[in-house]
Amino acid sequence: MNSLPIDGERLQRQIDELAAISAAPAPVVTRVLFSEADLRAREYVKGLCREVGLAIREDAVGNVFIRWEGKDEKLPAVATGSHIDAIPNAGRYDGVVGVLGAIEAIRALQQSGFKPQRSIELIIFTAEEPTRFGIGCLGSRLLAGALSLEKAASLRDPEGKSLEELRDQAGYGGLDMKQVRLAPKTYSAFVELHIEQGPLLEKENIPIGVVEKIAAPSTLRVQLTGVGGHAGAVLMPERHDAMLAGAEIALAVELAALKSGSPDTVGTTGVFRIEPGAVNSVPCRAWLEIDLRDTQLPTRDAALEKIEKSVAEICQRRGIAFVLERLNVDAPAICDQALVGRVLESGDELGLKVKKMISRAYHDSLFMAQICPTTMIFIPCRGGVSHRPDEYSSPEQIKNGVAVLASTLAKLASKV
Ligand code: GLV
Ligand code: MN
Ligand code: MN
């Protein structure tokens, strides 16, 4: 596998073309689930897969499965993949490298004359990003049976639109949600290529990371209802300002993360909307979404409870009504050591040093790990920057990742 014909220039061109499909002007990439940009991006990628002659299937929530049939189609397939949705104000590499890079890996394997024993399947997961419904990894959660259909049916976006309504508009309405969950043993392995989204590989000048564990994420949504009124007329002691309660909650999140006792606890209030949003009106409603993670569950869970207690205390003191929802409270994923070993071997064969690492970001791999042996291949990104328009990995770094992915897929698809 040393001399696979990986075309780094073609891949970079595709990454750039996909980045141009965005709701915001370059260099910003914004592709929210089932937005016009997301739908066009799906068409673009499916077009590339058709060029390569791969079979495409889609499920009711919009997960896309692209299959290179193996010699023994009855064997569980080897899967790879990632996402092409992007948070507001994102860059062009998060998720995309694992999708377009996988297509390039498959092309290179095909051109090299490799014939897989097991089928190789590329999955483009729906809504890895939580922007629209507040919950990340929507597609992979449903595939793994980690989100009930009842909970999925109850999801609403900020405009009150349901998943049902949106998937119908996106053209997935005729498909059955009950069939999204994968049958046991559908896949023999899952390997996701992704940018590191952290600084370690670049700092240590190591081209490849292999993931042994993915940190445990959780998300809270808090809706606050106070009393609005005229900014000039309502005197300060009379106020029940929803925005100020939210501000105190955001500070309580910071404190809970800082004082958790673990340097790995991170807390972020990344969504904070207020109504009515007029300078001369006391905010009557606020809407917060809080992201809290850790590599260890006990410290994450203790911080979560502390935040929930703070919400109650702050709202009581300020005379604010609140609704608090746990949108997701997930365990960490432990990756499969045999697969980690295959990635280490691939790096070795290609002369690329591989570092074992923890992923602090979450990925669809978090849920794939619940249904099959899973690991991830990381490549460096400049300054560790991600979820920003200036996110960057060089064509060479990406090509290295694709080479390791291709070589790992080849090993896994050959083994019976
Ligand atoms: C994934 O995008 C994450 O927020 O970790
Ligand atoms: Mn992301
Ligand atoms: Mn990602």
Side-chain angles (χ1 to χ4, degrees):
M1 287 300 143
N2 267 348
S3 55
L4 279 176
I6 293 164
D7 187 338
E9 273 174 36
R10 170 173 57 202
L11 178 53
Q12 189 57 52
R13 199 169 53 245
Q14 290 168 354
I15 291 172
D16 295 342
E17 281 171 5
L18 186 52
I21 305 176
S22 163
V28 174
V29 179
T30 299
R31 275 194 301 265
V32 175
L33 169 68
F34 295 154
S35 62
E36 201 247 347
D38 180 42
L39 297 180
R40 277 201 294 135
R42 287 163 180 267
E43 285 313 313
Y44 173 81
V45 179
K46 284 188 276 180
L48 294 180
C49 295
R50 282 187 206 105
E51 269 176 34
V52 187
L54 300 169
I56 299 176
R57 168 177 91 82
E58 291 178 274
D59 71 12
V61 79
N63 291 311
V64 185
F65 304 82
I66 295 142
R67 191 168 173 101
W68 178 14
E69 204 65 71
K71 285 186 222 155
D72 189 344
E73 60 193 50
K74 287 193 210 70
L75 286 174
V78 175
T80 182
S82 198
H83 61 101
I84 56 168
D85 66 324
I87 63 162
N89 205 40
R92 61 185 56 187
Y93 301 94
D94 175 5
V96 166
V97 164
V99 172
L100 298 182
I103 298 174
E104 187 56 40
I106 290 173
R107 269 192 203 241
L109 287 169
Q110 288 182 338
Q111 276 175 32
S112 74
F114 175 75
K115 299 269 184 269
Q117 187 71 23
R118 293 178 186 276
S119 301
I120 295 181
E121 212 161 276
L122 160 60
I123 311 174
I124 307 172
F125 295 97
T126 276
E128 190 267 355
E129 301 292 5
T131 312
R132 188 138 206 175
F133 287 113
I135 184 166
C137 302
L138 182 59
S140 50
R141 266 177 211 278
L142 287 162
L143 288 184
L147 179 72
S148 69
L149 293 183
E150 294 68 43
K151 182 102 187 270
S154 73
L155 294 173
R156 295 290 178 275
D157 78 356
E159 289 171 17
K161 290 189 180 154
S162 68
L163 174 61
E164 207 53 31
E165 197 178 335
L166 287 167
R167 66 181 195 86
D168 196 36
Q169 280 168 18
Y172 296 102
L175 298 164
D176 184 359
M177 284 291 282
K178 288 197 200 78
Q179 303 201 340
V180 172
R181 185 170 182 177
L182 291 173
K185 300 208 177 354
T186 300
Y187 297 118
S188 61
F190 179 73
V191 183
E192 178 172 4
L193 172 64
H194 206 283
I195 60 167
E196 181 196 343
Q197 305 185 285
L200 300 181
L201 291 173
E202 184 185 65
K203 265 196 194 140
E204 298 173 31
N205 198 20
I206 297 178
I208 298 291
V210 61
V211 174
E212 294 191 294
K213 183 176 183 181
I214 303 175
S218 62
T219 316
L220 297 177
R221 177 182 285 158
V222 188
Q223 295 177 69
L224 304 171
T225 307
V227 181
H230 195 288
V234 184
L235 293 177
M236 297 311 283
E238 309 305 321
R239 292 202 180 186
H240 301 280
D241 183 323
M243 200 276 304
L244 292 178
E248 269 201 67
I249 291 169
L251 291 172
V253 170
E254 182 190 36
L255 200 66
L258 280 170
K259 302 273 176 192
S260 78
S262 156
D264 294 324
T265 316
V266 281
T268 309
T269 305
V271 171
F272 193 162
R273 286 193 285 273
I274 56 165
E275 287 177 9
V279 70
N280 54 355
S281 181
V282 179
C284 57
R285 273 184 295 273
W287 168 296
L288 282 72
E289 284 173 11
I290 298 160
D291 177 306
L292 185 77
R293 317 181 189 200
D294 201 327
T295 53
Q296 307 297 331
L297 271 189
T299 36
R300 198 277 313 270
D301 288 346
L304 198 63
E305 277 169 30
K306 202 157 166 196
I307 292 168
E308 290 176 335
K309 279 204 187 107
S310 299
V311 170
E313 183 276 312
I314 291 162
C315 290
Q316 156 96 31
R317 177 161 41 78
R318 288 182 170 271
I320 303 280
F322 71 94
V323 178
L324 191 151
E325 283 170 89
R326 288 182 167 202
L327 294 183
N328 62 289
V329 180
D330 301 309
I334 307 298
C335 295
D336 183 80
Q337 277 306 319
L339 283 189
V340 169
R342 295 291 86 76
V343 175
L344 290 168
E345 275 164 37
S346 297
D348 218 30
E349 286 160 17
L350 292 159
L352 296 166
K353 189 167 174 196
V354 181
K355 177 184 171 67
K356 293 184 180 178
M357 17 195 356
I358 290 179
S359 173
R360 292 177 184 277
Y362 60 71
H363 304 278
D364 294 301
S365 288
L366 190 69
F367 294 95
M368 292 307 283
Q370 295 184 7
I371 56 169
C372 66
T374 292
T375 191
M376 300 185 69
I377 298 167
F378 275 179
I379 57 166
C381 55
R382 189 176 57 199
V385 165
S386 184
H387 283 184
R388 275 174 29 187
D390 54 340
E391 181 182 79
Y392 179 75
S393 292
S394 72
E396 190 58 31
Q397 288 168 328
I398 296 171
K399 198 172 165 185
N400 286 338
V402 173
V404 175
L405 176 66
S407 155
T408 306
L409 291 177
K411 288 186 206 319
L412 297 171
S414 305
K415 217 177 113 203
V416 179

